[in-house]
Amino acid sequence: MQFTFRVIVSLLMFGIVLFFIQTILLITTELTGLISVALSLVCAACVGWYSWQSFSSKKMSVSASVLNGALILGGLGFIFGFFGPMLLVQDTQQAIFFGILVACPIGLILGAIGGYVFASRKRD
């Protein structure tokens, strides 16, 4: 049961961060499609691996915890900020701006703080 939960959470975090980074790169930069996909896959693989390792008792470095926590909560904030207003109010055009400019930075900051707290508690 724990193995199944571990696989589901790791794949879910992989997909969320992949969508988050890919969308942000396509909207805000002029990178080619292949470069943005490669960068998104690298970030998503790191987060998937971190999610997999966080269920074990292995210690993670503080910088890895901060970076992955920021990517995970930033991705979740982006997805909920992006799709939430679209689901609640059908005629909204501000959903993209809310997800990118408000929910994503708040998720990044809270994720970085949460990653730091998680790493410092695991060290003690």
Side-chain angles (χ1 to χ4, degrees):
M1 182 67 180
Q2 184 181 5
F3 180 77
T4 306
F5 182 69
R6 204 172 171 182
V7 169
I8 290 171
V9 168
S10 297
L11 289 176
L12 184 65
M13 291 299 112
F14 177 85
I16 286 172
V17 170
L18 181 69
F19 176 75
F20 162 57
I21 298 293
Q22 179 69 25
T23 306
I24 291 293
L25 287 177
L26 287 176
I27 291 172
T28 60
T29 65
E30 294 183 10
L31 294 174
T32 62
L34 187 61
I35 294 172
S36 64
V37 168
L39 188 59
S40 301
L41 282 172
V42 167
C43 290
C46 289
V47 168
W49 177 251
Y50 173 76
S51 298
W52 182 268
Q53 292 295 320
S54 67
F55 284 106
S56 65
S57 61
K58 294 182 181 179
K59 294 182 181 178
M60 301 295 289
S61 69
V62 175
S63 60
S65 295
V66 168
L67 179 65
N68 287 303
L71 285 175
I72 289 170
L73 281 184
L76 287 172
F78 175 76
I79 287 179
F80 288 125
F82 189 79
F83 291 116
M86 284 188 218
L87 295 174
L88 296 176
V89 181
Q90 301 299 326
D91 292 333
T92 186
Q93 295 178 356
Q94 291 84 14
I96 296 171
F97 296 113
F98 180 77
I100 293 173
L101 299 176
V102 177
C104 178
I106 290 173
L108 285 171
I109 292 168
L110 291 177
I113 293 169
Y116 178 76
V117 169
F118 180 76
S120 39
R121 283 197 177 171
K122 217 167 190 183
R123 282 184 167 219
D124 295 338

